[in-house]
Amino acid sequence: MTSSKSTKRALLTSALALLMCVTMLVGATFAWFTDTASTGVNKIQAGNLDIEVEYTLDGETWNDLDEATDIFQKGLWEPGHTEVVALKFKNNGNLALKYNINMNIVDETVGINKSEQEYKLSDYLKVKTLSQEASLIGDICIGMAFSARNDGLGYTATANFKDATVLDHDLFLAPGEVGNYLIMKVYMPETVGNEANAISTEKAASINFGLNVVATQVPYEKDSFGNTYDKDAKYPDVAYTQASTQEELNAALNNPTDANGNPTSKIAVDLKKGSYTLPGDKMGNKEISITGTKDTVIDLTSGTAAHNASITMEGVKVKSTNGNYTGIQHAAATIFKDCVIEGQPFLYAKDAQYINCTFEQDSSDAYNVWTYGAENVLFKDCTFNCAGKSVLIYNEGSINGQTVEFKNCKFNASASVAGKAAIEIDSSLLRNGIYTVIIDQATADSVTGFDTGSVSHNSVWNNKKGTKATVIVAGSTVLSAS
């Protein structure tokens, strides 16, 4: 499509050169007048790809769209009920882009109607999606979409909800351009009767659905050879999906395809409220990102084996048992961001990170975490709440040493356990390598409620057994392995 704000570029060149030759009085020697020129500043700047989406529920007030937005929130569905949302897309970056949108039903609750029969809401809702250029005409179209339930002007919802297609082609946005509106209308026809009338509130049907926007660069900017250098740019090779049941999570991890329709090993899953286990047999050799809320629970009480997987979890609650040796085994890497960690997880991934996480433990017989089988462990901006024991660095000898680092962490004990510091180390069974424990000053200053270590006589750290541990606090080595 033609950009309403496309930039005309002019190429200004100057090619004036004054070449003068002078015949000398003696002989036939020639000399050239010469000069030099240089630019004051040469700047190379990386491009930025950034798409912004806003929505309106009344055709007038626009708000930012994010994962938590509920764009249909005006009431319960009944015959004649109609809702409209319009989306506006803006290119906030300095690179041209193309984008596409797809819709997926995240989950659907089957209801029981007045005849005591099962029914699905998706069988009784009609959908219409329409793309309009962001222009005066586009503004008029939005006004028309919000003006009547059935206006006869192309905005009447006619497709079944489960069959709705948002866009069947890519759309273009130049840098800084507000390029398109997407209007979406959902309608329950007046002809629907008691077949979609729930027998009770508890038996009502419901739908959760998601809108997924993907963007990539497109031929537009020029280099010395034209604007075709990014003609082969693809959408991200990640499979984006949403899930609210264990079955949907399993399906998302099984044979995923990206936005280009190609098989991929990279998966991003948005998990809704509920409790889930990790199906390790479907996670091997994949890069998996899981996001959710405080009501999204990852149940690791039985552990799982995810061979060579890289797993990131963000914003969820992770529950482990207080028993021994349960965790995510055989993984290449695990990263937890903004998570609540309950119980006593054992770490096994080669690289394990906890960023801005809160650990909760109310038993004086258990720790917040055993670093156990990992090689490199990082705790950054974490809070450890426990009943006297927090971190145990220990292994029976199956690893070749371990590095554990604490940055800006806080340790809070509700009661002390005799001889236990916040960070306990047992290096007595380590056969190869050493434990290297690095504690910054901010962490050392934020330890409260613990007893002093049985050997170190320090409440922050304690190497209770063995001689294969080096401890560094605030840059100074306070214990050296021997």
Side-chain angles (χ1 to χ4, degrees), residues 87-366:
L87 305 179
K88 178 169 61 177
F89 300 87
K90 181 180 179 181
N91 185 350
N92 279 340
N94 56 15
L95 294 176
L97 59 83
K98 65 179 180 180
Y99 66 97
N100 208 322
I101 313 162
N102 62 72
M103 182 177 80
N104 67 295
I105 295 179
V106 178
D107 70 282
E108 183 167 10
T109 301
V110 175
I112 305 296
N113 63 21
K114 292 290 187 180
S115 299
E116 298 187 359
Q117 302 294 316
E118 292 186 346
Y119 74 100
K120 291 183 177 181
L121 201 55
S122 61
D123 292 331
Y124 300 99
L125 294 181
K126 301 294 184 181
V127 180
K128 176 68 177 183
T129 59
L130 191 65
S131 178
Q132 290 288 337
E133 184 176 349
S135 62
L136 177 59
I137 295 177
D139 293 335
I140 293 173
C141 290
I142 288 180
M144 292 166 59
F146 282 94
S147 65
R149 299 180 191 279
N150 299 286
D151 51 27
L153 297 173
Y155 294 91
T156 302
T158 55
N160 289 331
F161 193 94
K162 58 186 177 182
D163 300 324
T165 299
V166 181
L167 283 178
D168 58 3
H169 61 285
D170 296 329
L171 295 174
F172 171 83
L173 280 178
E177 181 185 15
V178 178
N180 290 87
Y181 296 132
L182 179 72
I183 303 166
M184 185 174 183
K185 198 167 194 174
V186 182
Y187 164 65
M188 180 178 278
E190 291 88 341
T191 54
V192 175
N194 278 341
E195 62 270 22
N197 187 7
I199 192 172
S200 67
T201 301
E202 293 76 15
K203 300 295 184 179
S206 64
I207 297 175
N208 287 322
F209 73 96
L211 289 174
N212 307 307
V213 182
V214 292
T216 190
Q217 64 193 83
V218 67
Y220 183 78
E221 296 82 19
K222 294 182 179 180
D223 62 8
S224 298
F225 304 96
N227 68 345
T228 59
Y229 57 84
D230 52 1
K231 63 182 176 61
D232 296 322
K234 303 293 185 182
Y235 288 119
D237 59 342
V238 180
Y240 296 97
T241 189
Q242 297 171 312
S244 61
T245 67
Q246 184 67 50
E247 291 73 19
E248 289 168 352
L249 173 59
N250 294 350
L253 298 173
N254 190 38
N255 300 321
T257 56
D258 62 24
N260 304 295
N262 300 322
T264 182
S265 61
K266 300 177 182 178
I267 308 164
V269 185
D270 177 28
L271 284 182
K272 302 304 179 183
K273 177 181 179 180
S275 181
Y276 307 84
T277 58
L278 298 181
D281 60 324
K282 301 180 185 299
M283 301 173 71
N285 300 303
K286 294 175 181 175
E287 296 178 35
I288 300 167
S289 174
I290 295 174
T291 58
T293 70
K294 63 180 180 179
D295 297 316
T296 304
V297 178
I298 305 299
D299 186 347
L300 284 177
T301 54
S302 296
T304 192
H307 292 266
N308 202 37
S310 295
I311 303 168
T312 299
M313 299 187 201
E314 185 168 357
V316 302
K317 180 182 292 186
V318 184
K319 296 187 69 171
S320 295
T321 179
N322 280 345
N324 293 336
Y325 309 111
T326 59
I328 304 175
Q329 297 182 356
H330 307 297
T334 55
I335 301 175
F336 300 85
K337 298 179 180 178
D338 304 319
C339 294
V340 175
I341 313 296
E342 295 184 349
Q344 180 180 264
F346 277 57
L347 308 188
Y348 290 95
K350 178 179 178 181
D351 295 297
Q353 295 184 28
Y354 289 86
I355 311 298
N356 196 38
C357 292
T358 300
F359 291 78
E360 300 288 352
Q361 176 61 265
D362 56 11
S363 172
S364 60
D365 294 326

